[in-house]
Amino acid sequence: MINQIYRLVSPRQFEVSYRDESLHSGNVAVRPTHLSICAADQRYYTGSRGQEVLSRKLPMSLIHEAIGTVAYDPGGEFAAGTRVVMIPNTPVAEDGVIAENYLRTSRFRSSGFDGFMQDYVFLPKHRIVPLFDELNDNVASFLELISVSMHALRRFEQKSHVRKDTFGVWGDGNLGYISALLLKKRYPGSKVFVFGKTGHKLSRFSFADETYLIDQIPDSLRIDHAVECAGGIGSQSAINQIIDFINPEGTISILGVSEYPVEINTRMILEKGLSVVGSSRSGRVDFIETLEFLQQNEAVIDYLQTLIGSVNTIHTMRDILDAFELDLTTDWGKTVMEWNI
């Protein structure tokens, strides 16, 4: 069958391309239904990744956060119409020690190859996970982002010491919100403090024990462990501020993506005996764990719904452009595309 793929060919310009797909390849055909725009997609869309990167990766279909319904499974495991989340990380090897999302041979949709902006996506069956009925489509559309936070939390738990009375989360955006929320639900007896730059964003963290503007942190405040979700150039000041306020032998979990190297206070990392854990992306086990967690904690879903910034029905290429442009003008929440093109 001929599949239509909507590719970014240059900043702010999409074109349709066509690819012949075999229904007998063994892959499951999934019709995307709800897609969520990520900051990483915007860096390609606006051209901020730099000309060398764009020349190497474009044309490419964007979006790595999406759900859909099974259209055809040649193996017969998934019935047509089954709602599934699609996993963007695509490993081509297995390793008994290194997780799939850290293998250098793994590919990632909307980064190394085409993302989910297609009429149909053809995936190996281990790259999809069924959704439970109570999970609404708009929240499910950004499950990948939630799974990234879940993945980082699991790595943090493996490497941090047992005292977990206080957590600090730096970053008042989507990832900071999700990470703080998961920490609060995972450790209900602990205090979760959130640090950010924007008052109206911090006011949305109603579940947190306290929120602070980063230039108004009490000198006496201390935390046992920290999560950095600032990203970009802000990650440098965030990490250094964490080093100032964290207790000795604490663990710093770094999630924020920075395009450029940042300078951090390694002297105090040594003097305090801190552990720094970097985490990126997620794998199948993280998607499964995230869905199990949400099914057992339905109140979390209610909080996550507040992250839905807008829902945009997509019928045409113009609608795609409008959704990406709208996303650039909003400073809170996720932009969801209902994929009816």
Side-chain angles (χ1 to χ4, degrees):
M1 62 175 286
I2 302 299
N3 191 29
Q4 293 193 128
I5 303 169
Y6 306 87
R7 286 175 166 152
L8 185 75
V9 295
S10 63
R12 288 184 160 85
Q13 183 178 1
F14 292 100
E15 288 184 3
V16 181
S17 62
Y18 303 89
R19 184 164 59 204
D20 191 9
E21 302 275 9
S22 171
L23 293 175
H24 306 291
S25 65
N27 289 333
V28 180
V30 177
R31 167 64 181 170
T33 59
H34 294 75
L35 296 75
S36 175
I37 298 175
C38 172
D41 299 309
Q42 286 289 12
R43 287 193 285 272
Y44 287 110
Y45 175 74
T46 58
S48 60
R49 282 301 306 270
Q51 191 55 50
E52 188 276 328
V53 173
L54 296 178
S55 298
R56 179 159 41 88
K57 296 198 174 186
L58 302 186
M60 179 177 68
S61 170
L62 301 182
I63 301 295
H64 58 269
E65 302 173 4
I67 63 169
T69 56
V70 172
Y72 177 67
D73 176 12
E77 182 175 340
F78 300 99
T82 301
R83 288 197 315 147
V84 296
V85 60
M86 296 180 281
I87 302 173
N89 193 63
T90 307
V92 295
E94 294 183 5
D95 190 291
V97 174
I98 301 172
E100 64 168 72
N101 45 315
Y102 298 110
L103 290 174
R104 306 305 290 172
T105 54
S106 292
R107 305 173 73 201
F108 195 82
R109 290 185 180 271
S110 182
S111 178
F113 71 125
D114 282 325
F116 296 132
M117 285 176 49
Q118 307 184 34
D119 280 357
Y120 293 91
V121 183
F122 291 79
L123 311 99
K125 66 178 183 180
H126 58 84
R127 293 298 96 187
I128 59 175
V129 181
L131 304 173
F132 57 91
D133 293 340
E134 293 78 11
L135 184 60
N136 73 63
D137 290 332
N138 294 328
V139 170
S141 70
F142 55 90
L143 263 174
E144 191 272 343
L145 180 61
I146 307 170
S147 75
V148 170
S149 186
M150 183 65 74
H151 169 74
L153 179 56
R154 182 159 54 83
R155 283 167 58 79
F156 159 78
E157 289 171 336
Q158 293 169 349
K159 301 174 186 298
S160 58
H161 63 61
V162 296
R163 183 182 297 159
K164 295 179 173 64
D165 296 333
T166 52
F167 294 98
V169 177
W170 265 254
D172 51 21
N174 300 330
L175 188 58
Y177 186 92
I178 293 169
S179 298
L181 180 60
L182 295 187
L183 275 173
K184 192 60 188 173
K185 292 300 177 184
R186 199 94 148 189
Y187 300 95
S190 303
K191 290 186 176 179
V192 175
F193 304 143
V194 180
F195 305 85
K197 297 172 65 176
T198 313
H200 76 85
K201 290 184 179 180
L202 288 173
S203 68
R204 295 176 179 268
F205 290 71
S206 57
F207 55 84
D209 292 280
E210 292 287 349
T211 62
Y212 298 96
L213 293 169
I214 56 174
D215 57 354
Q216 297 178 18
I217 304 174
D219 291 339
S220 60
L221 187 145
R222 291 293 180 270
I223 53 173
D224 293 323
H225 307 284
V227 181
E228 182 275 320
C229 300
I233 191 63
S235 62
Q236 177 170 315
S237 57
I239 295 170
N240 285 319
Q241 199 167 51
I242 289 170
I243 294 170
D244 291 339
F245 285 97
I246 195 169
N247 285 322
E249 297 211 43
T251 295
I252 305 172
S253 177
I254 297 179
L255 280 78
V257 177
S258 177
E259 293 294 328
Y260 303 101
V262 299
E263 297 179 358
I264 60 175
N265 186 350
T266 56
R267 180 183 181 87
M268 289 309 297
I269 290 178
L270 303 181
E271 287 194 13
K272 286 190 171 183
L274 303 178
S275 299
V276 179
V277 182
S279 298
S280 178
R281 298 175 176 172
S282 60
R284 179 179 174 83
V285 63
D286 304 302
F287 279 82
I288 292 173
E289 186 174 356
T290 298
L291 284 166
E292 290 175 349
F293 180 82
L294 294 178
Q295 196 161 19
Q296 295 164 7
N297 296 273
E298 292 189 7
V300 173
I301 301 174
D302 294 334
Y303 280 110
L304 291 171
Q305 290 195 71
T306 68
L307 278 181
I308 301 169
S310 66
V311 179
N312 307 268
T313 303
I314 305 298
H315 292 293
T316 65
M317 296 283 273
R318 180 71 251 175
D319 294 335
I320 298 173
L321 289 167
D322 289 345
F324 272 81
E325 291 296 325
L326 174 65
D327 183 69
L328 288 172
T329 65
T330 56
D331 67 350
W332 175 261
K334 300 291 292 180
T335 300
V336 178
M337 296 189 290
E338 284 187 353
W339 199 242
N340 293 324
I341 195 167

